[in-house]
């Protein structure tokens, strides 16, 4: 009879533990990134009152007689791999992991792991959690700024002073496009067909280069044209290069000298039969170099630069996009900054305007001058047995002997089919319908075990009353 009392007590304790777990799940129903837990029971040691016997020729076998001694908690399992619902925040540093991966964070050099992605930046521009843990990832390869160097994880600084601004870049490429109709009266006038090209120097200042296109009247087939430099004005509309007479090829005023293809003008040749572009300057050439050089030492050589490791001494202008067809007497030729593939257009100095984080965790800075720069990549950790991670509070976990070790490098979130979503947070995965159902069964189980104790007590009372 005393055994039933202790079985009832054991049942009360285990159901109380289960109720504690349920209470914690419900309390965290609105905690971002919270992972709910469940409690499993198991029976405990049995007391054998008689052993089993085997069958003989004259007697049958007898089963053992055993009396259980109650129940205890077998395990408290956390549903680490079940994702909660997504909540949109539109904050660029709010992230949600889809899959079994964990963010890697650190404070004081010890790695911790979390599912909560409500990040921000501190005063140094470092990506941190709400409680000051640094978010870890990989840095940009110093030898290749367009790729990530997957080495030991370190703190990410998307808004460091170096990333606040984007350096200017000189224009190194341009191209001509459109159609030249030799019946256009402007092509035979003194002013010609005027084209403008906007360029940047290596300090990020903007200039406007003016050309005029005229028909070479010495060619009876109308297939040869002259492109002449007219002037260059800075962003304040002040001429740094140009003459009073636009028809004069000497445009060395203002302290600079400009040449295209080595001179103040260059010839463009078309096929007189088909109207297609043939060459510029000389047979076999489809581009010409626009060079702007200072005439005195007090002028900066701002139209030369090193771009992608190569010395650039001018602007390469591609002409193969021009044609010579009839178009109602209208010439549509124009000059465009950048190559036909939109490369080498140059830019002014830019300021960081936005941060984009793609599904693989790569961080890109978007600048006011149009540049998009890779800043790093957020790494994640994966564990063989994520349910064995030890919770240390603040939605943080640490690795244990049964979870598997963290190698210090981590992995990309998309390596195992997962992804990262920007501007959303993962909510708690607590299922209230299941929790309230478990609460009912737990309450009834607790009541039933309390009845074991009261009933056993009543039986003991009857036994004691036998003495009366």
């Amino acid at each position: 009879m005393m055994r039933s009392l202790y079985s009832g007590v054991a049942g009360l304790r285990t159901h109380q533990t289960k109720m504690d777990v349920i209470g914690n799940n419900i309390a965290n129903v609105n905690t971002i990134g919270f992972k709910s837990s469940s409690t499993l029971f198991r029976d405990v040691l049995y007391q054998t009152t008689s052993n089993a016997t085997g069958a003989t020729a004259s007697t049958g076998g007898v089963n053992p007689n055993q009396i259980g001694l109650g129940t205890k908690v077998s395990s408290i399992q956390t549903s680490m791999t079940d994702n909660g619902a997504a909540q949109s925040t539109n904050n660029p540093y709010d992230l949600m992991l889809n899959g079994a991966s964990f963010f890697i964070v650190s404070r004081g050099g010890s790695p911790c792991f979390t599912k909560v992605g409500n990040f921000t930046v501190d005063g140094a521009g470092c990506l941190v959690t709400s409680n000051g843990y640094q978010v870890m990832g990989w840095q940009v390869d110093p030898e290749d700024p367009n790729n990530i160097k997957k080495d030991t994880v370190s703190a990410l600084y998307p808004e460091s002073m170096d990333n606040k601004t984007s350096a200017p870049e000189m224009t190194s490429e341009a191209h001509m496009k459109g159609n030249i109709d030799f019946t256009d009266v402007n092509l035979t006038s003194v002013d010609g067909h005027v084209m403008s090209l906007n360029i940047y120097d290596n300090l990020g200042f903007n200039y406007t280069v003016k050309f005029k296109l005229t028909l070479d009247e010495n060619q009876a087939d109308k297939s040869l044209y002259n492109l002449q430099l007219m002037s260059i004005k800075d962003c304040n509309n002040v001429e740094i290069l140009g003459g009073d007479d636009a028809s004069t090829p000497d445009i060395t005023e203002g302290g600079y000298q400009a040449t295209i293809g080595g001179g103040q003008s260059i010839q463009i040749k078309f096929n007189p039969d088909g109207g297609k572009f043939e060459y510029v300057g000389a047979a076999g050439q489809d581009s010409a170099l626009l060079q702007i050089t200072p005439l005195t030492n007090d002028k900066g050589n701002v139209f030369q630069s090193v771009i992608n490791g190569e010395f650039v001494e001018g602007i390469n202008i591609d002409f193969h996009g021009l044609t010579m067809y009839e178009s109602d007497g209208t010439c549509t030729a124009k000059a465009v900054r950048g190559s036909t593939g939109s490369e080498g257009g140059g830019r002014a100095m830019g300021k960081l305007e936005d941060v984009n984080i793609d599904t693989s965790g790569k961080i890109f800075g978007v600048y006011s001058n149009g540049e998009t720069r890779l800043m790093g990549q957020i790494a994640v950790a994966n564990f063989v047995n994520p349910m064995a991670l030890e919770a240390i509070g603040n939605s943080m976990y640490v690795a244990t002997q049964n979870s598997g070790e963290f190698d210090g490098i981590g992995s990309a979130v998309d390596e195992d089919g997962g992804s990262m979503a920007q501007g959303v947070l993962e909510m708690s995965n607590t299922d209230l319908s299941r929790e309230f159902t478990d609460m009912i069964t737990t309450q009834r189980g607790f009541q039933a075990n309390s009845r074991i104790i009261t009933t056993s007590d009543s039986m003991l009372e009857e036994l004691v009353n036998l003495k009366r």
Side-chain angles (χ1 to χ4, degrees), residues 195-199 207-211 229 231-232 290 292:
M195 296 182 290
S196 296
L197 174 65
N198 292 320
I199 62 172
Y207 302 84
T208 301
V209 183
K210 275 193 175 181
F211 305 92
L229 282 165
S231 66
I232 299 179
L290 171 64
I292 306 170

Side-chain angles (χ1 to χ4, degrees), residues 83-400:
N83 287 334
Q87 178 185 12
S88 177
T89 65
N90 295 321
N91 185 338
Y93 291 119
D94 283 346
L95 302 173
M96 175 180 172
L97 289 174
N98 295 308
S101 303
F102 292 81
F103 293 110
I104 307 165
V105 297
S106 176
R107 190 172 189 176
S110 299
C112 298
F113 312 97
T114 183
K115 282 283 191 177
V116 180
N118 61 327
F119 302 140
T120 184
V121 290
D122 62 12
C126 182
L127 190 63
V128 296
T129 66
S130 58
N131 49 1
Y133 284 73
Q134 293 178 322
V135 181
M136 310 300 281
W138 302 307
Q139 307 300 328
V140 176
D141 190 340
E143 298 181 358
D144 185 0
N146 294 319
N147 285 308
I148 295 294
K149 186 176 182 180
K150 294 185 178 181
D151 203 346
T152 303
V153 293
S154 56
L156 297 169
Y157 289 82
E159 294 196 22
S160 65
M161 291 304 297
D162 291 339
N163 288 332
K164 282 290 187 180
T165 58
S166 167
E169 186 176 287
M170 186 190 90
T171 299
S172 60
E173 297 284 344
H175 68 280
M176 297 281 183
K177 69 177 184 177
N179 183 65
I180 298 174
D181 186 338
F182 61 76
T183 62
D184 188 334
V185 295
N186 290 322
L187 294 173
T188 56
S189 68
V190 175
D191 293 332
H193 174 74
V194 179
M195 296 182 290
S196 296
L197 174 65
N198 292 320
I199 62 172
Y200 290 99
D201 67 10
N202 58 25
L203 298 178
F205 290 102
N206 182 250
Y207 302 84
T208 301
V209 183
K210 275 193 175 181
F211 305 92
K212 72 172 181 178
L213 185 67
T214 56
L215 174 65
D216 190 329
E217 295 182 348
N218 296 324
Q219 295 289 317
D221 56 14
K222 313 294 187 184
S223 64
L224 191 65
Y225 297 82
N226 294 316
L227 182 73
Q228 180 182 334
L229 282 165
M230 293 178 65
S231 66
I232 299 179
K233 294 182 180 181
D234 63 17
C235 55
N236 295 316
N237 205 34
V238 175
E239 283 190 353
I240 69 164
L241 186 150
D244 295 332
D245 184 0
S247 64
T248 303
D250 182 13
I251 52 173
T252 59
E253 298 181 7
Y256 287 88
Q257 176 175 318
T259 60
I260 181 166
Q264 258 72 56
S265 65
I266 195 168
Q267 290 186 324
I268 308 171
K269 182 69 169 64
F270 292 88
N271 185 326
D273 298 324
K276 292 186 177 180
F277 169 80
E278 283 194 354
Y279 62 82
V280 57
Q285 295 182 0
D286 59 3
S287 62
L289 189 65
L290 171 64
Q291 290 182 291
I292 306 170
T293 55
L295 293 173
T296 57
N297 293 331
D298 62 335
K299 298 291 184 179
N301 206 344
V302 292
F303 294 99
Q304 293 184 356
S305 184
V306 177
I307 302 176
N308 297 327
E310 295 184 3
F311 179 69
V312 178
E313 56 182 352
I315 302 169
N316 184 63
I317 304 178
D318 185 354
F319 288 81
H320 82 273
L322 291 173
T323 57
M324 188 190 70
Y325 302 130
E326 189 278 329
S327 58
D328 296 326
T330 303
C331 180
T332 60
K334 63 180 180 179
V336 181
R337 178 167 55 88
S339 67
T340 54
S342 301
E343 297 177 351
R347 57 177 179 263
M349 188 190 76
K351 295 182 179 180
L352 183 64
E353 289 188 330
D354 196 9
V355 174
N356 288 333
I357 303 175
D358 67 10
T359 56
S360 67
K362 289 182 178 178
I363 307 173
F364 295 92
V366 181
Y367 294 86
S368 59
N369 60 359
E371 183 189 10
T372 300
R373 182 192 303 171
L374 180 62
M375 296 177 170
Q377 183 173 2
I378 300 172
V380 297
N382 292 291
F383 296 93
V384 177
N385 182 17
M387 287 192 297
L389 293 172
E390 179 182 350
I392 59 173
N394 293 320
S395 299
M396 297 289 177
Y397 300 89
V398 294
T400 65

